[in-house]
Every structure is written in C-alpha cells, then in structure tokens.
C-alpha cells in the first residue's frame, strides 16, 4: 500500500497494491500492521455504507466529544471527498483537501479526528464505505455549511442535492464548538 501525505498534516491518501489475474482482482483496504507502521489508527469500531445519487452533497460534518477519524473508500461510482481542518490553533485551520476517489482509482482517503468531512457524488450514483475511529453519537453532531465563502471549497457543482439539516448548517466563523489542535 502506498501512503501519501497531503498539505494538511494527518490527511492521507492511500493507494492499495492491486493484484489482477484472470479471475479479477484483489487488494487490501485495511491491515492493522500496515496502518500502525504509518501512524494511522488501527481500530475502527464502526463501519458505514452510503448509497447516493448524482449531485448529492453530504456534509460538512464533525463530532466533538467523540470525534471520528474516517477511512473512506468508494465501491461503486465516484465522489469528490473533502476534509477541512477545523482544529483551533492549527497552522492549517480553515484549509481543506479535496480528493476524487472512485471504484476505478481505488484510492482510500483518511480524514483524522478534528476535521469536518463531506463529499459530493460526481457519478450517476455511488456507494461509499467508511470506517470510523469512534461510534456515532447523534447528540455530538456538528456541521459547517457546504458553501462557506471563507472555505471556498471547489465542489464543481453549484446546486447540490442536500437534506434540510445540511442546508441549514452555520458557517465556520459562526461555530461555537470546535476541536483544539
């Protein structure tokens, strides 16, 4: 597995070693010993799977008391996945990294705890699978509006499909609860 650093400390792109033969292909998406050797978490107590249609935007979400690092992969379709550093005091506070991940490129995106996370579906539909470093607590859910002008995220879409909750999230500057660096 190839592990690439991004410009934001802790956010990583993982590209598995793919083994192809006449039957198809095989690759490891998670191996605790490999993850430990790269300083990545190796315990993920929750897995989630999400199916969405084209132009659906989910996020930007984060948890504060039970923060979730996320290991995201796409098993059908493609998404533009975004991690935003919201750790107060971080040298990259308010910066983001966006990465296209897809069933075709097989990249895996690691977003550490202390980051807001969201994605938009750029294929006809997608199935996204992600592991979390903590279990989800609905009482500990926060979010940032997807089109925050201070973040200026290049989503590649102007009219996403949103749920009411995501459409009414506050901007980063209006957040009252953020993690520390």
């Amino acid at each position: 597995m190839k592990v690439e650093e991004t410009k934001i400390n802790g956010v990583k792109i993982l590209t598995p070693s793919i083994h192809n033969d006449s039957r198809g292909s095989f690759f490891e998406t998670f191996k605790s010993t490999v993850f430990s050797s790269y300083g990545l978490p190796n315990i993920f107590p929750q897995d989630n799977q999400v199916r969405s249609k084209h132009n659906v935007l989910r996020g930007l979400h984060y948890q504060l008391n039970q923060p979730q690092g996320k290991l995201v992969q796409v098993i059908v379709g493609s998404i533009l996945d975004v991690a935003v550093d919201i750790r107060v005091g971080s040298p990259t506070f308010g910066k983001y990294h966006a990465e296209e991940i897809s069933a075709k490129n097989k990249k895996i995106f690691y977003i550490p705890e202390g980051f807001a996370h969201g994605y938009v579906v750029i294929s006809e539909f997608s199935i996204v699978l992600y592991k979390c470093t903590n279990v989800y607590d609905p009482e500990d859910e926060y979010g940032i509006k997807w089109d925050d002008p201070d973040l200026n995220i290049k989503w590649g879409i102007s009219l996403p499909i949103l749920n009411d909750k995501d459409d009414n999230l506050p901007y980063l500057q209006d957040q009252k609860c953020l993690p520390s660096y």
Side-chain angles (χ1 to χ4, degrees), residues 79-93:
I79 65 173
L80 181 69
D81 206 353
V82 175
V84 180
D85 188 350
I86 58 168
R87 302 168 298 168
V88 175
S90 168
T92 52
F93 178 82

Side-chain angles (χ1 to χ4, degrees), residues 43-69:
I43 296 174
F44 294 92
Q46 181 173 329
D47 282 4
N48 299 318
Q49 182 174 304
V50 185
R51 186 183 196 282
S52 305
K53 61 185 179 179
H54 181 69
N55 286 345
V56 165
L57 193 148
R58 296 180 182 269
L60 298 157
H61 304 141
Y62 67 97
Q63 295 73 38
L64 194 59
N65 298 313
Q66 291 182 239
Q68 291 182 317

Side-chain angles (χ1 to χ4, degrees), residues 57-62 82-84 86 94 96 116-119 141-155 157-178:
L57 193 148
R58 296 180 182 269
L60 298 157
H61 304 141
Y62 67 97
V82 175
V84 180
I86 58 168
Y96 73 91
H117 172 247
Y119 64 87
E141 183 175 54
Y142 299 89
I144 300 164
K145 191 155 173 103
W146 72 279
D147 63 350
D148 185 323
D150 290 334
L151 298 177
N152 196 27
I153 297 171
K154 307 293 185 216
W155 292 102
I157 184 172
S158 58
L159 294 172
I161 300 168
L162 302 163
N163 67 10
D164 288 339
K165 179 184 72 174
D166 288 353
D167 198 27
N168 291 302
L169 292 170
Y171 293 135
L172 180 59
Q173 70 177 0
D174 300 321
Q175 295 295 322
K176 298 188 181 2
C177 299
L178 291 170

Side-chain angles (χ1 to χ4, degrees), residues 13-75:
I13 307 300
L14 295 76
T15 306
S17 300
I18 301 166
H19 307 280
N20 296 299
D21 65 23
S22 61
R23 302 169 294 169
S25 64
F26 168 85
F27 59 97
E28 295 173 341
T29 60
F30 171 77
K31 188 173 189 176
S32 64
T33 54
V34 172
F35 274 57
S36 291
S37 72
Y38 284 103
L40 292 164
N42 63 9
I43 296 174
F44 294 92
Q46 181 173 329
D47 282 4
N48 299 318
Q49 182 174 304
V50 185
R51 186 183 196 282
S52 305
K53 61 185 179 179
H54 181 69
N55 286 345
V56 165
L57 193 148
R58 296 180 182 269
L60 298 157
H61 304 141
Y62 67 97
Q63 295 73 38
L64 194 59
N65 298 313
Q66 291 182 239
Q68 291 182 317
K70 295 174 181 165
L71 185 65
V72 183
Q73 64 180 312
V74 176
I75 55 176

Side-chain angles (χ1 to χ4, degrees), residues 86-143:
I86 58 168
R87 302 168 298 168
V88 175
S90 168
T92 52
F93 178 82
K95 304 292 184 203
Y96 73 91
H97 182 85
E99 190 75 27
E100 182 177 337
I101 60 174
S102 68
K104 185 176 180 179
N105 71 21
K106 297 178 180 41
K107 289 181 179 180
I108 301 168
F109 195 31
Y110 177 68
I111 299 112
E113 295 176 2
F115 283 71
H117 172 247
Y119 64 87
V120 65
V121 179
I122 55 180
S123 56
E124 181 181 344
F125 72 96
S126 70
I127 297 176
V128 175
L129 182 64
Y130 61 99
K131 295 179 166 305
C132 301
T133 59
N134 263 313
V135 295
Y136 172 73
D137 177 358
E139 301 299 315
D140 190 35
E141 183 175 54
Y142 299 89

